[in-house]
Amino acid sequence: MKRLILTAICLLIFLSASAQEKKRLRGFDGGMMVHTGYLQGNLDAIDYTAKGAPLGIGGVIRLHLGEHFRIGSEGYVSTLNQRGNGSYLKYGWGGLLADYYKVIGRFQPYAGLTFGGGAMTTLLMIEKPVSPWAPIDDTHYHKQGFMAIDPFVGCDFIVSGSMHLTLKVDYLCALSESELLPHGPRIYFGFLFYH
């Protein structure tokens, strides 16, 4: 795990140094995105398989270095509702990112990697309450931090020089050796403002 962390940090430094050799900070962008997708995974501690479509929101901010590189940061909150009784798995995560992009007409495809971490909060109610405010005996609560890498690909549609629509797909991969997160692809849609 330490080697993977060191490799990700070295990649970010290399991309930054490569872009700075040209001594050009070409601007920045940032904006908000909503996401969904499909996640599935087993919570071994309670022998429960969580699956479904998460819903979430977050944002990104990036500096444009050179002709094709960007570095920045992003962060998101994602909720995976379970059992139809208020149970959920909630993720909050973020980190540093580096990506490569190319403008082709009105399209701007990109690919990159985010390195960071976050926390997953789990609240699972196996039974349903008998009446309002009644305690539920078979309830599980757990909060766990994690380190993660998040590879992503996407494409902007250039509406104007200062506004883009973006569509992105990622796959958040926990690096923890403890209980792993339910995983799967997430699809993001959002507005980005360029300067």
Side-chain angles (χ1 to χ4, degrees):
M1 185 167 130
K2 290 179 184 177
R3 287 182 187 165
L4 187 57
I5 292 169
L6 185 59
T7 301
I9 291 170
C10 288
L11 176 64
L12 288 174
I13 291 169
F14 170 76
L15 291 174
S16 176
S18 171
Q20 287 177 357
E21 279 180 12
K22 299 177 182 181
K23 297 186 181 185
R24 287 191 262 172
L25 176 61
R26 302 192 63 135
F28 62 92
D29 71 86
M32 300 294 290
M33 289 181 249
V34 295
H35 65 266
T36 188
Y38 184 79
L39 305 179
Q40 181 173 350
N42 194 41
L43 304 176
D44 293 332
I46 58 173
D47 193 29
Y48 178 82
T49 300
K51 59 185 173 182
L55 292 174
I57 191 167
V60 63
I61 187 164
R62 296 174 290 217
L63 297 174
H64 302 198
L65 302 174
E67 297 275 335
H68 302 287
F69 292 102
R70 299 181 292 195
I71 60 170
S73 180
E74 65 180 347
Y76 300 95
V77 173
S78 186
T79 303
L80 178 61
N81 291 315
Q82 295 290 288
R83 306 185 58 80
N85 64 358
S87 298
Y88 62 83
L89 283 75
K90 183 177 284 189
Y91 304 81
W93 83 96
L96 300 175
L97 69 82
D99 70 11
Y100 175 87
Y101 70 96
K102 185 166 181 68
V103 177
I104 304 168
R106 293 186 72 102
F107 294 94
Q108 183 177 303
Y110 58 90
L113 180 72
T114 299
F115 174 76
M120 179 179 80
T121 303
T122 303
L123 175 65
L124 286 175
M125 297 175 282
I126 306 305
E127 298 175 355
K128 290 190 175 180
V130 178
S131 63
W133 294 101
I136 302 173
D137 291 332
D138 200 4
T139 298
H140 303 275
Y141 175 84
H142 181 67
K143 186 169 185 176
Q144 175 181 357
F146 61 88
M147 297 294 291
I149 58 171
D150 187 26
F152 58 85
V153 295
C155 188
D156 287 4
F157 176 74
I158 302 170
V159 177
S160 69
S162 60
M163 190 175 98
H164 293 201
L165 300 176
T166 192
L167 184 65
K168 177 178 96 165
V169 177
D170 77 350
Y171 200 101
L172 185 67
C173 304
L175 301 176
S176 310
E177 294 178 9
S178 56
E179 184 178 346
L180 295 178
L181 310 174
H183 53 87
R186 285 183 176 86
I187 300 169
Y188 298 73
F189 176 75
F191 296 91
L192 299 173
F193 297 96
Y194 278 65
H195 179 72

